Amino acid sequence: MIEHFDPRRQANSVDFSKDYGTPSANPNADATFVSLDIDGVAISVPEGTSVLRAAALANISIPKLCATDSLEAFGSCRLCAVEVEGRRGLPASCTTPVVQGMKVTTQNERLAKLRRGVMELYISDHPLDCLTCPANGDCELQDMAGSVGLREVRYGFAGENHLDAVKDESNPYFTFDPSKCIVCSRCVRACEEVQGTFALTIDGRGFESKVAAGQDGAFMDSDCVSCGACVQACPTATLMENSVIDHGVPDRSVVTTCAYCGVGCSFEAQMKGDKLVRMVPYKGGDANHGHSCVKGRFAFGYASHPDRLTTPMIRDSIDLPWVEASWEEAIGFAAKRLKAIQAEHGRESIGGITSSRCTNEETYLVQKLIRAAFGNNNTDTCARVCHSPTGYGLKTTLGESAGTQTFDSVMKSDAIIVIGANPTDAHPVFGSMMRKRLRQGAKLIVADPRRIDLLKTPHMNEAQHLPLRPGTNVALINALGHVVVTEGLEDTDFVAKRCDTEAYQCWRAFIIEPRHSPEASKAITGVPAEAVRQAARTYATASNGAIYYGLGVTEHSQGSTMVMGIANLALATGNIGREGVGVNPLRGQNNVQGSCDMGSFPHELPGYQHVADPIARGHFENVWGVKLDDEPGLRIPNMFDAAIEGTFKALYVQGEDIAQSDPNTQHVEAALRSLDCLIVQDIFLNETAKFAHVLLPGSSFLEKDGTFTNAERRINRVRKVMPPVAGKQDWEVTQDLAIALGYPMHYAHPSEIMDEIASLAPSFSGVSYEKLEQHGSLQWPCNDDNPRGMPTMHEFSFPIGLGRFAITEYVATEERTNRRFPLLLTTGRILSQYNVGAQTRRTANQRWHDEDILELHPSDAELRGVRDGDWLGISSRSGQTVLRARLSERMQPGVVYTTFHHPGSGANVITTDNSDWATNCPEYKVTAVQVEKVSQPSAWQQRFTTFDKAQKSHLAKAQQEVP
């Protein structure tokens, strides 16, 4: 039996470690309750509840096998049969809804005999190897056999059976052993209902029935995305994690939060001794409700990878080998250098970069270190290079720089627009939820240069795809707005009550101009006019229309303009302020929202309070005990330029790999080489760390306490599962550096840091670890007015009073195609890898995507004599790299696509330093390129390989030396 730590078990009637057999009837304030009698116990439950669940809520146990509360009732195993007074036969309790006055008997001799007979049939075709089975002690079939009192199998084992069925070990994370399958269909139903992939089926009939992946092939050759839903649903050892097979059933668990994408899934980290055996999605997770993806579920092995940095390193020059140091020596070395640089070059000559992978508390401390100990505002974050236009655009129009809804809100949407996002790859658990709603009948509109997988959702109504040219987002959103206004599809009541009249009239006059019509904009976007008109009508006439967008919106020179255009469209149609609607940015990394909230930008203190505001600044000065600079500091691009110029000399980087993730790689490398002191704090020797003078080991999410804030503003607890491999959590390292610089920080636990955040950031004023333990999660703003947080924003008003329409003039990007660079490159992510790949490349996820490739349309390939698998040189105005070709009709002619998960691919060698006009967010999504067949790596890739080998050699030599 696994000992679970459930943070809400004491505060809620529902125990998330318990399986109630069927899903909740989802009671609300108006729910009708039904009273019934089960085994003499009076019970009252919401109408629609199954008898099985009603009994479980009253702690009355009914045997079951095919039933589980994550799936709809199926009624195939018959083990949960009960007697109902006044009814004939023995109905299955999982498919029998409660009725007022019902009297149910769950245990008597008749039922016991039936259940033993059912179990006999199951066991007669099941291996009797319980003592050596990997599920021994954690097997529902084993438990049910004991529960019904099965003692013998009268049929023997000499007849026809499936005991010699061959295992499928093709998947690196789990094994399929069909000899143990009882054909309960839970795995098939999980794949359909929860994941929405439909990769599994029941093949054959009667005794020949079996679970099959795809066309009865191997799991790795099927459509399976390795989300783990089938493994979690399996009641036997048929589908079993290889980690459990190798290490045994875990004996304890801790609930924590995934450190991959912005969905923020809750997991039970299940341990055996000090070994992490498996990550199981937590049913009580408000963002994921017990579902997961291949990364969160299985790709946790990086935390114990041999590449982990475990000892601080120092050196005087990047051309010299590393020298191992104690924590005291390394911190002292870093502090001494920083002080000397500021003494020689001035207070503004140093700065720091926070991370969207680290916790809120760690990020808060880094920006505090920079402002209070460095004495300047030279702080920035990777969140600016992905979603800063979201902050600017939504703050301008709606008054708050974050998404408006919960993820669950999509289940009430009738029309869904997805712009520049690929949820099934980048936010897969939310992608599965969206697919479920699409199967229920919601209409889908996708605006993307590429055909994303969401468009292929099984059993979905026909989707609308708007394949616009990269860089023309604003022209498209203006055309959609034009249709809404000129065809009278506005919500005039909402606009009159909730929006600024003058701003609306200005926008309306602007948007109805003929130049914004779909017919006029077709020459810019490439999207047929009728397709735009149909999409606008679909969205505007739906009862609930929701917009979800990603980096394909923000990473443009007009990213901020586009975000304002999206908000305009939502305001004009009244799709704000209730469930099923809203403007919803899909944040990329696990704590992009949090790193913004915590004051990582050079112009904003925590809680989005401007550094020039004397009242806000005064609050921080009183608490921090130091005078703060009232002038915004340098953004990352400014730091790079100043470093090359010689005025910016030192940089502290925590948990971020700017050498791989930022655009125009050669410019970034030149800046890093120019620094007198680069301090990198990370779990691996990443690409940035290879240019460092001080290397401080970081801690993984499994080794720390804190909080993450996901894309729906949900604050989730991160709980330490194991000790930090290097002895310190990241916040402790930052604290030590501050003290060494002469600025006192004395926190004993991250909860104390959160208490300080709550005292200074208004939207976090009601947040505490105690409240998080009580409620599981909170969505900011959480304050006196909203003590439980605010799931849906802008229900009655906007923080700025009235919604403000903004003029969104389309300005073509400076990055244009020509005869030399005739193609447009755009970039994105893939399901199996995460961001720069530092974590996932050190796991078996490499089996799915071991290199970045270039997708191009067959017509573009034919013009250049390119075949699938050829090596292609990709040249832009910034540089050249080489990638393998993949011909794909997902692309439109003239557009090519790649990912950026592998450092040697050099994807950002060719991206330019063009950026958003308001926020400097890089224009990753539009790069003019040419491609041609080549036979060797690019010059940059050759230099990269040489430098990479040298730096790894320096590290290996230091690690081998005996102190």
Side-chain angles (χ1 to χ4, degrees), residues 80-283:
C80 72
V82 294
E83 281 189 355
V84 178
E85 186 178 275
R87 293 194 188 183
R88 297 175 59 185
L90 301 174
S93 60
C94 65
T95 56
T96 302
V98 296
V99 175
Q100 180 66 34
M102 175 184 277
K103 291 187 177 181
V104 179
T105 298
T106 71
Q107 303 289 341
N108 60 29
E109 187 53 39
R110 182 187 179 196
L111 290 167
K113 184 177 180 180
L114 170 68
R115 290 167 182 163
R116 283 194 296 270
V118 170
M119 285 303 302
E120 258 191 294
L121 291 172
Y122 278 124
I123 299 302
S124 68
D125 189 26
H126 195 83
L128 296 181
D129 59 353
C130 288
L131 291 179
T132 57
C133 177
N136 185 25
D138 190 26
C139 173
E140 292 181 49
L141 184 68
Q142 187 181 59
D143 294 342
M144 290 304 104
S147 175
V148 303
L150 183 66
R151 296 294 177 263
E152 62 176 345
V153 178
R154 292 168 292 170
Y155 309 111
F157 300 92
E160 188 176 358
N161 57 55
H162 301 92
L163 301 182
D164 59 351
V166 179
K167 294 179 182 179
D168 179 354
E169 299 177 311
S170 62
N171 191 287
Y173 292 122
F174 59 83
T175 294
F176 174 55
D177 184 353
S179 72
K180 292 181 166 61
C181 182
I182 61 173
V183 200
C184 65
S185 296
R186 275 167 59 165
C187 59
V188 177
R189 291 150 55 208
C191 191
E192 295 175 359
E193 296 178 27
V194 180
Q195 171 56 30
T197 298
F198 293 81
L200 304 180
T201 58
I202 299 294
D203 187 36
R205 296 171 64 92
F207 184 77
E208 297 303 323
S209 299
K210 62 178 181 179
V211 172
Q215 298 297 312
D216 198 15
F219 268 80
M220 282 295 281
D221 298 329
S222 73
D223 290 334
C224 171
V225 294
S226 299
C227 68
C230 60
V231 179
Q232 188 171 358
C234 182
T236 69
T238 306
L239 284 159
M240 178 60 68
E241 298 96 333
N242 292 337
S243 57
V244 175
I245 295 173
D246 292 341
H247 302 291
V249 176
D251 53 27
R252 62 186 178 90
S253 72
V254 176
V255 175
T256 190
T257 303
C258 180
Y260 279 117
C261 77
V263 174
C265 294
S266 297
F267 276 87
E268 292 180 27
Q270 296 191 352
M271 310 287 292
K272 190 176 183 67
D274 61 354
K275 176 72 176 178
L276 177 59
V277 176
R278 64 183 173 193
M279 296 286 286
V280 177
Y282 177 53
K283 287 196 301 182

Side-chain angles (χ1 to χ4, degrees), residues 791-809:
T792 301
M793 297 189 77
H794 316 312
E795 287 189 73
F796 307 107
S797 64
F798 296 99
I800 51 176
L802 297 172
R804 294 177 186 166
F805 285 81
I807 301 301
T808 53
E809 191 70 61

Side-chain angles (χ1 to χ4, degrees), residues 18-70:
K18 181 176 180 177
D19 190 334
Y20 292 84
T22 60
S24 168
N26 295 319
N28 52 50
D30 301 322
T32 299
F33 276 71
V34 172
S35 297
L36 69 156
D37 179 292
I38 302 181
D39 291 345
V41 178
I43 299 170
S44 182
V45 294
E47 188 176 34
T49 301
S50 71
V51 170
L52 179 62
R53 185 177 181 89
L57 288 167
N59 292 318
I60 297 172
S61 179
I62 300 176
K64 59 182 175 58
L65 273 176
C66 73
T68 181
D69 60 13
S70 62

Side-chain angles (χ1 to χ4, degrees), residues 724-794:
V725 296
K728 289 181 182 289
Q729 298 180 47
D730 287 329
W731 66 269
E732 294 176 302
V733 178
T734 304
Q735 178 170 270
D736 290 347
L737 181 57
I739 294 171
L741 288 169
Y743 179 77
M745 285 189 189
H746 300 291
Y747 304 99
H749 189 268
S751 61
E752 297 178 4
I753 305 174
M754 178 53 75
D755 290 342
E756 183 172 307
I757 294 168
S759 72
L760 291 167
S763 57
F764 276 68
S765 63
V767 179
S768 68
Y769 278 34
E770 181 181 5
K771 188 178 284 189
L772 288 169
E773 295 294 338
Q774 181 182 359
H775 300 297
S777 68
L778 297 166
Q779 287 177 269
W780 68 258
C782 181
N783 47 35
D784 290 342
D785 294 333
N786 305 282
R788 289 288 302 274
M790 185 184 288
T792 301
M793 297 189 77
H794 316 312

